[in-house]
Amino acid sequence: MRGLAVALGGDPAAGLSDLRAGLRMKNDLDDRLGVALAFDMAGCCLVMLGDAAGGARLLGAADRARDYTGTSLFGPQHRLLRGVYEAQAAETLGDGLYRRAYESGAALDAGVAVAEALGDRPAPALGDAAPGAPPGTARSPEQGGGAGSGQPLTRRETEIAALVAEGRTNREIAERLVIAKRTVDSHVEHILAKLGFSSRTQIAAWYTQRS
């Protein structure tokens, strides 16, 4: 709420920073309703800051998160506020590009959407069908990296992979990072899926080789 107030008060950059802090907490608590609201408000901030495509992606991600929880927008004020920035993004991009950005956001995996909203993972350009992979990306099967999806690990996932490589259990990682164990469980599952691995030993070997 503070992030939204700051943004509407004329400082969307500072508001986005507050919203990202709130999103990180809501995600660690596995509060999907809170995550959806943070996506919405962060998307509005991006539109205010001139990133209409990034904002549209987060609005799409917000609607997917709400579908997952079976909830709706928070009343007429929420609808009105979101509608203003949806219209602004659509006017900036044009209806076709807006819809494309929105739908690409709605198709994002929850973890990837959170990483984008936090700024841990850059959003691809609208014209990119397969954006270049930054450091931390799973290698292709031909490169010996497993049959992963080719998605890059987020900063948090890389941090957790490093702790897995140290031989720490998920509970120990949770205590080290001061987050819920189930959040660590989810991150480890995402790491395995992205790298195309089936065991923690493979994560440890991959991280050690990468380091």
Side-chain angles (χ1 to χ4, degrees):
M1 292 302 100
R2 185 178 73 186
L4 177 60
V6 169
L8 294 178
D11 192 348
L16 180 60
S17 178
D18 280 342
L19 285 160
R20 283 173 168 167
L23 171 59
R24 196 178 296 280
M25 288 187 284
K26 293 297 186 181
N27 187 54
D28 285 346
L29 292 170
D30 200 28
D31 178 355
R32 299 297 182 90
L33 188 59
V35 166
L37 181 58
F39 281 163
D40 260 333
M41 298 302 101
C44 291
C45 279
L46 288 179
V47 175
M48 294 181 209
L49 290 166
D51 183 4
R57 279 172 67 84
L58 289 188
L59 295 178
D63 284 344
R64 175 170 179 173
R66 264 189 292 276
D67 287 343
Y68 181 87
T69 58
T71 55
S72 59
L73 294 173
F74 292 90
Q77 294 86 356
H78 185 184
R79 293 179 186 279
L80 177 62
L81 178 65
R82 175 169 157 148
V84 167
Y85 294 103
E86 280 181 318
Q88 185 175 325
E91 182 177 356
T92 299
L93 296 171
D95 290 340
L97 285 180
Y98 173 82
R99 177 53 53 181
R100 184 173 173 183
Y102 172 91
E103 289 176 351
S104 67
L108 288 175
D109 171 82
V112 175
V114 168
E116 276 197 22
L118 291 174
D120 292 342
R121 179 182 191 275
L126 284 179
D128 289 348
T137 302
R139 292 176 297 175
S140 69
E142 292 77 9
Q143 295 172 302
S149 65
Q151 295 178 16
L153 298 189
T154 66
R155 182 175 60 189
R156 177 66 93 183
E157 288 168 348
T158 302
E159 183 179 19
I160 289 173
L163 294 172
V164 169
E166 292 178 8
R168 297 178 184 271
T169 66
N170 285 7
R171 185 168 298 282
E172 289 171 338
I173 293 172
E175 291 172 356
R176 171 74 174 272
L177 300 179
V178 196
I179 58 177
K181 177 181 175 294
R182 62 182 175 181
T183 300
V184 178
D185 295 341
S186 177
H187 280 307
V188 171
E189 289 175 4
H190 288 155
I191 293 168
L192 289 169
K194 287 181 177 182
L195 298 179
F197 294 155
S198 59
S199 72
R200 299 169 71 86
T201 303
Q202 289 174 296
I203 294 176
W206 170 85
Y207 185 83
T208 301
Q209 184 180 29
R210 175 176 177 270
S211 299

mmCIF file with all atom_site columns, all heavy atoms in Angstrom, residues 9-37:
data_model
loop_
_atom_site.group_PDB
_atom_site.id
_atom_site.type_symbol
_atom_site.label_atom_id
_atom_site.label_alt_id
_atom_site.label_comp_id
_atom_site.label_asym_id
_atom_site.label_entity_id
_atom_site.label_seq_id
_atom_site.pdbx_PDB_ins_code
_atom_site.Cartn_x
_atom_site.Cartn_y
_atom_site.Cartn_z
_atom_site.occupancy
_atom_site.B_iso_or_equiv
_atom_site.pdbx_formal_charge
_atom_site.auth_seq_id
_atom_site.auth_comp_id
_atom_site.auth_asym_id
_atom_site.auth_atom_id
_atom_site.pdbx_PDB_model_num
ATOM 1   N N   . GLY A 1 9  ? 1.668  9.385   -5.695  1.00 0.00 ? 9  GLY A N   1
ATOM 2   C CA  . GLY A 1 9  ? 2.092  10.700  -5.232  1.00 0.00 ? 9  GLY A CA  1
ATOM 3   C C   . GLY A 1 9  ? 3.121  11.354  -6.146  1.00 0.00 ? 9  GLY A C   1
ATOM 4   O O   . GLY A 1 9  ? 3.550  12.472  -5.884  1.00 0.00 ? 9  GLY A O   1
ATOM 5   N N   . GLY A 1 10 ? 3.524  10.636  -7.206  1.00 0.00 ? 10 GLY A N   1
ATOM 6   C CA  . GLY A 1 10 ? 4.411  11.236  -8.188  1.00 0.00 ? 10 GLY A CA  1
ATOM 7   C C   . GLY A 1 10 ? 5.804  10.645  -8.275  1.00 0.00 ? 10 GLY A C   1
ATOM 8   O O   . GLY A 1 10 ? 6.652  11.172  -9.007  1.00 0.00 ? 10 GLY A O   1
ATOM 9   N N   . ASP A 1 11 ? 6.078  9.537   -7.548  1.00 0.00 ? 11 ASP A N   1
ATOM 10  C CA  . ASP A 1 11 ? 7.407  8.933   -7.601  1.00 0.00 ? 11 ASP A CA  1
ATOM 11  C C   . ASP A 1 11 ? 7.264  7.431   -7.874  1.00 0.00 ? 11 ASP A C   1
ATOM 12  O O   . ASP A 1 11 ? 7.451  6.606   -6.981  1.00 0.00 ? 11 ASP A O   1
ATOM 13  C CB  . ASP A 1 11 ? 8.153  9.162   -6.285  1.00 0.00 ? 11 ASP A CB  1
ATOM 14  C CG  . ASP A 1 11 ? 9.640  8.817   -6.382  1.00 0.00 ? 11 ASP A CG  1
ATOM 15  O OD1 . ASP A 1 11 ? 10.032 8.195   -7.397  1.00 0.00 ? 11 ASP A OD1 1
ATOM 16  O OD2 . ASP A 1 11 ? 10.396 9.154   -5.455  1.00 0.00 ? 11 ASP A OD2 1
ATOM 17  N N   . PRO A 1 12 ? 6.923  7.068   -9.121  1.00 0.00 ? 12 PRO A N   1
ATOM 18  C CA  . PRO A 1 12 ? 6.699  5.658   -9.419  1.00 0.00 ? 12 PRO A CA  1
ATOM 19  C C   . PRO A 1 12 ? 7.934  4.786   -9.249  1.00 0.00 ? 12 PRO A C   1
ATOM 20  O O   . PRO A 1 12 ? 7.812  3.603   -8.959  1.00 0.00 ? 12 PRO A O   1
ATOM 21  C CB  . PRO A 1 12 ? 6.226  5.671   -10.872 1.00 0.00 ? 12 PRO A CB  1
ATOM 22  C CG  . PRO A 1 12 ? 6.703  6.970   -11.438 1.00 0.00 ? 12 PRO A CG  1
ATOM 23  C CD  . PRO A 1 12 ? 6.679  7.925   -10.299 1.00 0.00 ? 12 PRO A CD  1
ATOM 24  N N   . ALA A 1 13 ? 9.137  5.338   -9.396  1.00 0.00 ? 13 ALA A N   1
ATOM 25  C CA  . ALA A 1 13 ? 10.350 4.540   -9.214  1.00 0.00 ? 13 ALA A CA  1
ATOM 26  C C   . ALA A 1 13 ? 10.479 4.094   -7.754  1.00 0.00 ? 13 ALA A C   1
ATOM 27  O O   . ALA A 1 13 ? 10.765 2.928   -7.475  1.00 0.00 ? 13 ALA A O   1
ATOM 28  C CB  . ALA A 1 13 ? 11.577 5.329   -9.644  1.00 0.00 ? 13 ALA A CB  1
ATOM 29  N N   . ALA A 1 14 ? 10.272 5.035   -6.835  1.00 0.00 ? 14 ALA A N   1
ATOM 30  C CA  . ALA A 1 14 ? 10.324 4.681   -5.409  1.00 0.00 ? 14 ALA A CA  1
ATOM 31  C C   . ALA A 1 14 ? 9.162  3.764   -5.045  1.00 0.00 ? 14 ALA A C   1
ATOM 32  O O   . ALA A 1 14 ? 9.310  2.836   -4.249  1.00 0.00 ? 14 ALA A O   1
ATOM 33  C CB  . ALA A 1 14 ? 10.296 5.944   -4.553  1.00 0.00 ? 14 ALA A CB  1
ATOM 34  N N   . GLY A 1 15 ? 8.000  4.021   -5.648  1.00 0.00 ? 15 GLY A N   1
ATOM 35  C CA  . GLY A 1 15 ? 6.852  3.157   -5.397  1.00 0.00 ? 15 GLY A CA  1
ATOM 36  C C   . GLY A 1 15 ? 7.113  1.736   -5.849  1.00 0.00 ? 15 GLY A C   1
ATOM 37  O O   . GLY A 1 15 ? 6.764  0.773   -5.156  1.00 0.00 ? 15 GLY A O   1
ATOM 38  N N   . LEU A 1 16 ? 7.756  1.581   -7.003  1.00 0.00 ? 16 LEU A N   1
ATOM 39  C CA  . LEU A 1 16 ? 8.071  0.249   -7.521  1.00 0.00 ? 16 LEU A CA  1
ATOM 40  C C   . LEU A 1 16 ? 9.026  -0.471  -6.582  1.00 0.00 ? 16 LEU A C   1
ATOM 41  O O   . LEU A 1 16 ? 8.898  -1.683  -6.356  1.00 0.00 ? 16 LEU A O   1
ATOM 42  C CB  . LEU A 1 16 ? 8.681  0.372   -8.917  1.00 0.00 ? 16 LEU A CB  1
ATOM 43  C CG  . LEU A 1 16 ? 9.059  -0.944  -9.607  1.00 0.00 ? 16 LEU A CG  1
ATOM 44  C CD1 . LEU A 1 16 ? 7.840  -1.844  -9.780  1.00 0.00 ? 16 LEU A CD1 1
ATOM 45  C CD2 . LEU A 1 16 ? 9.693  -0.658  -10.970 1.00 0.00 ? 16 LEU A CD2 1
ATOM 46  N N   . SER A 1 17 ? 9.978  0.251   -6.007  1.00 0.00 ? 17 SER A N   1
ATOM 47  C CA  . SER A 1 17 ? 10.916 -0.352  -5.062  1.00 0.00 ? 17 SER A CA  1
ATOM 48  C C   . SER A 1 17 ? 10.175 -0.910  -3.844  1.00 0.00 ? 17 SER A C   1
ATOM 49  O O   . SER A 1 17 ? 10.435 -2.030  -3.391  1.00 0.00 ? 17 SER A O   1
ATOM 50  C CB  . SER A 1 17 ? 11.954 0.688   -4.624  1.00 0.00 ? 17 SER A CB  1
ATOM 51  O OG  . SER A 1 17 ? 12.849 0.138   -3.679  1.00 0.00 ? 17 SER A OG  1
ATOM 52  N N   . ASP A 1 18 ? 9.222  -0.145  -3.319  1.00 0.00 ? 18 ASP A N   1
ATOM 53  C CA  . ASP A 1 18 ? 8.422  -0.613  -2.187  1.00 0.00 ? 18 ASP A CA  1
ATOM 54  C C   . ASP A 1 18 ? 7.571  -1.821  -2.585  1.00 0.00 ? 18 ASP A C   1
ATOM 55  O O   . ASP A 1 18 ? 7.446  -2.786  -1.822  1.00 0.00 ? 18 ASP A O   1
ATOM 56  C CB  . ASP A 1 18 ? 7.498  0.503   -1.682  1.00 0.00 ? 18 ASP A CB  1
ATOM 57  C CG  . ASP A 1 18 ? 8.221  1.488   -0.787  1.00 0.00 ? 18 ASP A CG  1
ATOM 58  O OD1 . ASP A 1 18 ? 9.305  1.151   -0.275  1.00 0.00 ? 18 ASP A OD1 1
ATOM 59  O OD2 . ASP A 1 18 ? 7.703  2.607   -0.595  1.00 0.00 ? 18 ASP A OD2 1
ATOM 60  N N   . LEU A 1 19 ? 6.979  -1.762  -3.765  1.00 0.00 ? 19 LEU A N   1
ATOM 61  C CA  . LEU A 1 19 ? 6.133  -2.856  -4.222  1.00 0.00 ? 19 LEU A CA  1
ATOM 62  C C   . LEU A 1 19 ? 6.949  -4.140  -4.400  1.00 0.00 ? 19 LEU A C   1
ATOM 63  O O   . LEU A 1 19 ? 6.475  -5.240  -4.101  1.00 0.00 ? 19 LEU A O   1
ATOM 64  C CB  . LEU A 1 19 ? 5.438  -2.479  -5.527  1.00 0.00 ? 19 LEU A CB  1
ATOM 65  C CG  . LEU A 1 19 ? 4.273  -1.504  -5.357  1.00 0.00 ? 19 LEU A CG  1
ATOM 66  C CD1 . LEU A 1 19 ? 3.953  -0.810  -6.671  1.00 0.00 ? 19 LEU A CD1 1
ATOM 67  C CD2 . LEU A 1 19 ? 3.048  -2.236  -4.835  1.00 0.00 ? 19 LEU A CD2 1
ATOM 68  N N   . ARG A 1 20 ? 8.169  -4.012  -4.876  1.00 0.00 ? 20 ARG A N   1
ATOM 69  C CA  . ARG A 1 20 ? 9.020  -5.194  -5.033  1.00 0.00 ? 20 ARG A CA  1
ATOM 70  C C   . ARG A 1 20 ? 9.387  -5.795  -3.683  1.00 0.00 ? 20 ARG A C   1
ATOM 71  O O   . ARG A 1 20 ? 9.447  -7.018  -3.534  1.00 0.00 ? 20 ARG A O   1
ATOM 72  C CB  . ARG A 1 20 ? 10.272 -4.821  -5.821  1.00 0.00 ? 20 ARG A CB  1
ATOM 73  C CG  . ARG A 1 20 ? 10.006 -4.691  -7.317  1.00 0.00 ? 20 ARG A CG  1
ATOM 74  C CD  . ARG A 1 20 ? 11.206 -4.168  -8.081  1.00 0.00 ? 20 ARG A CD  1
ATOM 75  N NE  . ARG A 1 20 ? 11.003 -4.338  -9.524  1.00 0.00 ? 20 ARG A NE  1
ATOM 76  C CZ  . ARG A 1 20 ? 11.757 -3.755  -10.447 1.00 0.00 ? 20 ARG A CZ  1
ATOM 77  N NH1 . ARG A 1 20 ? 12.766 -2.969  -10.091 1.00 0.00 ? 20 ARG A NH1 1
ATOM 78  N NH2 . ARG A 1 20 ? 11.512 -3.965  -11.734 1.00 0.00 ? 20 ARG A NH2 1
ATOM 79  N N   . ALA A 1 21 ? 9.616  -4.938  -2.695  1.00 0.00 ? 21 ALA A N   1
ATOM 80  C CA  . ALA A 1 21 ? 9.893  -5.454  -1.350  1.00 0.00 ? 21 ALA A CA  1
ATOM 81  C C   . ALA A 1 21 ? 8.681  -6.207  -0.815  1.00 0.00 ? 21 ALA A C   1
ATOM 82  O O   . ALA A 1 21 ? 8.808  -7.282  -0.215  1.00 0.00 ? 21 ALA A O   1
ATOM 83  C CB  . ALA A 1 21 ? 10.264 -4.301  -0.414  1.00 0.00 ? 21 ALA A CB  1
ATOM 84  N N   . GLY A 1 22 ? 7.495  -5.643  -1.052  1.00 0.00 ? 22 GLY A N   1
ATOM 85  C CA  . GLY A 1 22 ? 6.276  -6.326  -0.631  1.00 0.00 ? 22 GLY A CA  1
ATOM 86  C C   . GLY A 1 22 ? 6.056  -7.628  -1.367  1.00 0.00 ? 22 GLY A C   1
ATOM 87  O O   . GLY A 1 22 ? 5.662  -8.639  -0.777  1.00 0.00 ? 22 GLY A O   1
ATOM 88  N N   . LEU A 1 23 ? 6.335  -7.623  -2.668  1.00 0.00 ? 23 LEU A N   1
ATOM 89  C CA  . LEU A 1 23 ? 6.178  -8.844  -3.466  1.00 0.00 ? 23 LEU A CA  1
ATOM 90  C C   . LEU A 1 23 ? 7.107  -9.940  -2.965  1.00 0.00 ? 23 LEU A C   1
ATOM 91  O O   . LEU A 1 23 ? 6.718  -11.101 -2.872  1.00 0.00 ? 23 LEU A O   1
ATOM 92  C CB  . LEU A 1 23 ? 6.468  -8.541  -4.938  1.00 0.00 ? 23 LEU A CB  1
ATOM 93  C CG  . LEU A 1 23 ? 6.560  -9.750  -5.876  1.00 0.00 ? 23 LEU A CG  1
ATOM 94  C CD1 . LEU A 1 23 ? 5.256  -10.559 -5.871  1.00 0.00 ? 23 LEU A CD1 1
ATOM 95  C CD2 . LEU A 1 23 ? 6.902  -9.306  -7.294  1.00 0.00 ? 23 LEU A CD2 1
ATOM 96  N N   . ARG A 1 24 ? 8.348  -9.575  -2.633  1.00 0.00 ? 24 ARG A N   1
ATOM 97  C CA  . ARG A 1 24 ? 9.292  -10.588 -2.150  1.00 0.00 ? 24 ARG A CA  1
ATOM 98  C C   . ARG A 1 24 ? 8.766  -11.246 -0.878  1.00 0.00 ? 24 ARG A C   1
ATOM 99  O O   . ARG A 1 24 ? 8.838  -12.472 -0.710  1.00 0.00 ? 24 ARG A O   1
ATOM 100 C CB  . ARG A 1 24 ? 10.656 -9.936  -1.892  1.00 0.00 ? 24 ARG A CB  1
ATOM 101 C CG  . ARG A 1 24 ? 11.787 -10.942 -1.763  1.00 0.00 ? 24 ARG A CG  1
ATOM 102 C CD  . ARG A 1 24 ? 13.122 -10.229 -1.554  1.00 0.00 ? 24 ARG A CD  1
ATOM 103 N NE  . ARG A 1 24 ? 13.516 -9.409  -2.677  1.00 0.00 ? 24 ARG A NE  1
ATOM 104 C CZ  . ARG A 1 24 ? 14.085 -9.881  -3.779  1.00 0.00 ? 24 ARG A CZ  1
ATOM 105 N NH1 . ARG A 1 24 ? 14.310 -11.174 -3.899  1.00 0.00 ? 24 ARG A NH1 1
ATOM 106 N NH2 . ARG A 1 24 ? 14.421 -9.068  -4.756  1.00 0.00 ? 24 ARG A NH2 1
ATOM 107 N N   . MET A 1 25 ? 8.207  -10.438 0.019   1.00 0.00 ? 25 MET A N   1
ATOM 108 C CA  . MET A 1 25 ? 7.662  -10.997 1.263   1.00 0.00 ? 25 MET A CA  1
ATOM 109 C C   . MET A 1 25 ? 6.437  -11.869 0.982   1.00 0.00 ? 25 MET A C   1
ATOM 110 O O   . MET A 1 25 ? 6.298  -12.961 1.539   1.00 0.00 ? 25 MET A O   1
ATOM 111 C CB  . MET A 1 25 ? 7.311  -9.867  2.230   1.00 0.00 ? 25 MET A CB  1
ATOM 112 C CG  . MET A 1 25 ? 8.529  -9.191  2.834   1.00 0.00 ? 25 MET A CG  1
ATOM 113 S SD  . MET A 1 25 ? 8.113  -7.986  4.114   1.00 0.00 ? 25 MET A SD  1
ATOM 114 C CE  . MET A 1 25 ? 7.523  -6.615  3.123   1.00 0.00 ? 25 MET A CE  1
ATOM 115 N N   . LYS A 1 26 ? 5.543  -11.378 0.137   1.00 0.00 ? 26 LYS A N   1
ATOM 116 C CA  . LYS A 1 26 ? 4.336  -12.156 -0.175  1.00 0.00 ? 26 LYS A CA  1
ATOM 117 C C   . LYS A 1 26 ? 4.695  -13.470 -0.849  1.00 0.00 ? 26 LYS A C   1
ATOM 118 O O   . LYS A 1 26 ? 4.072  -14.508 -0.590  1.00 0.00 ? 26 LYS A O   1
ATOM 119 C CB  . LYS A 1 26 ? 3.401  -11.336 -1.076  1.00 0.00 ? 26 LYS A CB  1
ATOM 120 C CG  . LYS A 1 26 ? 2.790  -10.121 -0.410  1.00 0.00 ? 26 LYS A CG  1
ATOM 121 C CD  . LYS A 1 26 ? 1.900  -10.508 0.750   1.00 0.00 ? 26 LYS A CD  1
ATOM 122 C CE  . LYS A 1 26 ? 1.176  -9.293  1.317   1.00 0.00 ? 26 LYS A CE  1
ATOM 123 N NZ  . LYS A 1 26 ? 0.320  -9.673  2.468   1.00 0.00 ? 26 LYS A NZ  1
ATOM 124 N N   . ASN A 1 27 ? 5.702  -13.438 -1.713  1.00 0.00 ? 27 ASN A N   1
ATOM 125 C CA  . ASN A 1 27 ? 6.107  -14.668 -2.393  1.00 0.00 ? 27 ASN A CA  1
ATOM 126 C C   . ASN A 1 27 ? 6.732  -15.653 -1.405  1.00 0.00 ? 27 ASN A C   1
ATOM 127 O O   . ASN A 1 27 ? 6.453  -16.854 -1.452  1.00 0.00 ? 27 ASN A O   1
ATOM 128 C CB  . ASN A 1 27 ? 7.101  -14.335 -3.502  1.00 0.00 ? 27 ASN A CB  1
ATOM 129 C CG  . ASN A 1 27 ? 7.441  -15.542 -4.355  1.00 0.00 ? 27 ASN A CG  1
ATOM 130 O OD1 . ASN A 1 27 ? 6.546  -16.209 -4.894  1.00 0.00 ? 27 ASN A OD1 1
ATOM 131 N ND2 . ASN A 1 27 ? 8.714  -15.842 -4.493  1.00 0.00 ? 27 ASN A ND2 1
ATOM 132 N N   . ASP A 1 28 ? 7.563  -15.149 -0.493  1.00 0.00 ? 28 ASP A N   1
ATOM 133 C CA  . ASP A 1 28 ? 8.179  -16.028 0.502   1.00 0.00 ? 28 ASP A CA  1
ATOM 134 C C   . ASP A 1 28 ? 7.127  -16.653 1.421   1.00 0.00 ? 28 ASP A C   1
ATOM 135 O O   . ASP A 1 28 ? 7.303  -17.776 1.908   1.00 0.00 ? 28 ASP A O   1
ATOM 136 C CB  . ASP A 1 28 ? 9.194  -15.251 1.338   1.00 0.00 ? 28 ASP A CB  1
ATOM 137 C CG  . ASP A 1 28 ? 10.496 -14.976 0.578   1.00 0.00 ? 28 ASP A CG  1
ATOM 138 O OD1 . ASP A 1 28 ? 10.702 -15.604 -0.486  1.00 0.00 ? 28 ASP A OD1 1
ATOM 139 O OD2 . ASP A 1 28 ? 11.284 -14.136 1.033   1.00 0.00 ? 28 ASP A OD2 1
ATOM 140 N N   . LEU A 1 29 ? 6.031  -15.928 1.652   1.00 0.00 ? 29 LEU A N   1
ATOM 141 C CA  . LEU A 1 29 ? 4.942  -16.445 2.479   1.00 0.00 ? 29 LEU A CA  1
ATOM 142 C C   . LEU A 1 29 ? 3.959  -17.305 1.687   1.00 0.00 ? 29 LEU A C   1
ATOM 143 O O   . LEU A 1 29 ? 2.999  -17.819 2.248   1.00 0.00 ? 29 LEU A O   1
ATOM 144 C CB  . LEU A 1 29 ? 4.178  -15.280 3.128   1.00 0.00 ? 29 LEU A CB  1
ATOM 145 C CG  . LEU A 1 29 ? 4.948  -14.481 4.181   1.00 0.00 ? 29 LEU A CG  1
ATOM 146 C CD1 . LEU A 1 29 ? 4.184  -13.222 4.550   1.00 0.00 ? 29 LEU A CD1 1
ATOM 147 C CD2 . LEU A 1 29 ? 5.183  -15.335 5.420   1.00 0.00 ? 29 LEU A CD2 1
ATOM 148 N N   . ASP A 1 30 ? 4.201  -17.421 0.371   1.00 0.00 ? 30 ASP A N   1
ATOM 149 C CA  . ASP A 1 30 ? 3.303  -18.152 -0.527  1.00 0.00 ? 30 ASP A CA  1
ATOM 150 C C   . ASP A 1 30 ? 1.894  -17.571 -0.493  1.00 0.00 ? 30 ASP A C   1
ATOM 151 O O   . ASP A 1 30 ? 0.903  -18.289 -0.572  1.00 0.00 ? 30 ASP A O   1
ATOM 152 C CB  . ASP A 1 30 ? 3.271  -19.638 -0.161  1.00 0.00 ? 30 ASP A CB  1
ATOM 153 C CG  . ASP A 1 30 ? 2.770  -20.502 -1.330  1.00 0.00 ? 30 ASP A CG  1
ATOM 154 O OD1 . ASP A 1 30 ? 2.954  -20.080 -2.483  1.00 0.00 ? 30 ASP A OD1 1
ATOM 155 O OD2 . ASP A 1 30 ? 2.196  -21.567 -1.077  1.00 0.00 ? 30 ASP A OD2 1
ATOM 156 N N   . ASP A 1 31 ? 1.811  -16.235 -0.373  1.00 0.00 ? 31 ASP A N   1
ATOM 157 C CA  . ASP A 1 31 ? 0.534  -15.523 -0.365  1.00 0.00 ? 31 ASP A CA  1
ATOM 158 C C   . ASP A 1 31 ? 0.197  -15.168 -1.818  1.00 0.00 ? 31 ASP A C   1
ATOM 159 O O   . ASP A 1 31 ? 0.575  -14.106 -2.315  1.00 0.00 ? 31 ASP A O   1
ATOM 160 C CB  . ASP A 1 31 ? 0.647  -14.268 0.493   1.00 0.00 ? 31 ASP A CB  1
ATOM 161 C CG  . ASP A 1 31 ? -0.627 -13.434 0.521   1.00 0.00 ? 31 ASP A CG  1
ATOM 162 O OD1 . ASP A 1 31 ? -1.590 -13.770 -0.204  1.00 0.00 ? 31 ASP A OD1 1
ATOM 163 O OD2 . ASP A 1 31 ? -0.663 -12.436 1.266   1.00 0.00 ? 31 ASP A OD2 1
ATOM 164 N N   . ARG A 1 32 ? -0.505 -16.069 -2.505  1.00 0.00 ? 32 ARG A N   1
ATOM 165 C CA  . ARG A 1 32 ? -0.766 -15.878 -3.931  1.00 0.00 ? 32 ARG A CA  1
ATOM 166 C C   . ARG A 1 32 ? -1.658 -14.662 -4.188  1.00 0.00 ? 32 ARG A C   1
ATOM 167 O O   . ARG A 1 32 ? -1.527 -13.996 -5.207  1.00 0.00 ? 32 ARG A O   1
ATOM 168 C CB  . ARG A 1 32 ? -1.418 -17.136 -4.512  1.00 0.00 ? 32 ARG A CB  1
ATOM 169 C CG  . ARG A 1 32 ? -0.562 -18.396 -4.402  1.00 0.00 ? 32 ARG A CG  1
ATOM 170 C CD  . ARG A 1 32 ? 0.728  -18.277 -5.190  1.00 0.00 ? 32 ARG A CD  1
ATOM 171 N NE  . ARG A 1 32 ? 1.536  -19.474 -5.129  1.00 0.00 ? 32 ARG A NE  1
ATOM 172 C CZ  . ARG A 1 32 ? 1.450  -20.478 -5.984  1.00 0.00 ? 32 ARG A CZ  1
ATOM 173 N NH1 . ARG A 1 32 ? 0.607  -20.423 -6.983  1.00 0.00 ? 32 ARG A NH1 1
ATOM 174 N NH2 . ARG A 1 32 ? 2.225  -21.531 -5.855  1.00 0.00 ? 32 ARG A NH2 1
ATOM 175 N N   . LEU A 1 33 ? -2.582 -14.394 -3.273  1.00 0.00 ? 33 LEU A N   1
ATOM 176 C CA  . LEU A 1 33 ? -3.448 -13.230 -3.436  1.00 0.00 ? 33 LEU A CA  1
ATOM 177 C C   . LEU A 1 33 ? -2.623 -11.946 -3.362  1.00 0.00 ? 33 LEU A C   1
ATOM 178 O O   . LEU A 1 33 ? -2.789 -11.025 -4.172  1.00 0.00 ? 33 LEU A O   1
ATOM 179 C CB  . LEU A 1 33 ? -4.528 -13.233 -2.355  1.00 0.00 ? 33 LEU A CB  1
ATOM 180 C CG  . LEU A 1 33 ? -5.638 -12.193 -2.474  1.00 0.00 ? 33 LEU A CG  1
ATOM 181 C CD1 . LEU A 1 33 ? -6.388 -12.339 -3.778  1.00 0.00 ? 33 LEU A CD1 1
ATOM 182 C CD2 . LEU A 1 33 ? -6.597 -12.320 -1.283  1.00 0.00 ? 33 LEU A CD2 1
ATOM 183 N N   . GLY A 1 34 ? -1.703 -11.887 -2.397  1.00 0.00 ? 34 GLY A N   1
ATOM 184 C CA  . GLY A 1 34 ? -0.829 -10.736 -2.270  1.00 0.00 ? 34 GLY A CA  1
ATOM 185 C C   . GLY A 1 34 ? 0.101  -10.588 -3.463  1.00 0.00 ? 34 GLY A C   1
ATOM 186 O O   . GLY A 1 34 ? 0.382  -9.478  -3.911  1.00 0.00 ? 34 GLY A O   1
ATOM 187 N N   . VAL A 1 35 ? 0.580  -11.721 -3.986  1.00 0.00 ? 35 VAL A N   1
ATOM 188 C CA  . VAL A 1 35 ? 1.443  -11.701 -5.165  1.00 0.00 ? 35 VAL A CA  1
ATOM 189 C C   . VAL A 1 35 ? 0.692  -11.104 -6.359  1.00 0.00 ? 35 VAL A C   1
ATOM 190 O O   . VAL A 1 35 ? 1.223  -10.283 -7.100  1.00 0.00 ? 35 VAL A O   1
ATOM 191 C CB  . VAL A 1 35 ? 1.954  -13.118 -5.495  1.00 0.00 ? 35 VAL A CB  1
ATOM 192 C CG1 . VAL A 1 35 ? 2.555  -13.177 -6.902  1.00 0.00 ? 35 VAL A CG1 1
ATOM 193 C CG2 . VAL A 1 35 ? 2.996  -13.555 -4.466  1.00 0.00 ? 35 VAL A CG2 1
ATOM 194 N N   . ALA A 1 36 ? -0.559 -11.518 -6.535  1.00 0.00 ? 36 ALA A N   1
ATOM 195 C CA  . ALA A 1 36 ? -1.359 -11.005 -7.654  1.00 0.00 ? 36 ALA A CA  1
ATOM 196 C C   . ALA A 1 36 ? -1.539 -9.494  -7.549  1.00 0.00 ? 36 ALA A C   1
ATOM 197 O O   . ALA A 1 36 ? -1.408 -8.766  -8.543  1.00 0.00 ? 36 ALA A O   1
ATOM 198 C CB  . ALA A 1 36 ? -2.727 -11.695 -7.685  1.00 0.00 ? 36 ALA A CB  1
ATOM 199 N N   . LEU A 1 37 ? -1.820 -9.004  -6.356  1.00 0.00 ? 37 LEU A N   1
ATOM 200 C CA  . LEU A 1 37 ? -1.996 -7.563  -6.169  1.00 0.00 ? 37 LEU A CA  1
ATOM 201 C C   . LEU A 1 37 ? -0.691 -6.824  -6.426  1.00 0.00 ? 37 LEU A C   1
ATOM 202 O O   . LEU A 1 37 ? -0.679 -5.753  -7.064  1.00 0.00 ? 37 LEU A O   1
ATOM 203 C CB  . LEU A 1 37 ? -2.489 -7.276  -4.755  1.00 0.00 ? 37 LEU A CB  1
ATOM 204 C CG  . LEU A 1 37 ? -2.740 -5.798  -4.405  1.00 0.00 ? 37 LEU A CG  1
ATOM 205 C CD1 . LEU A 1 37 ? -3.756 -5.189  -5.359  1.00 0.00 ? 37 LEU A CD1 1
ATOM 206 C CD2 . LEU A 1 37 ? -3.200 -5.658  -2.966  1.00 0.00 ? 37 LEU A CD2 1
#
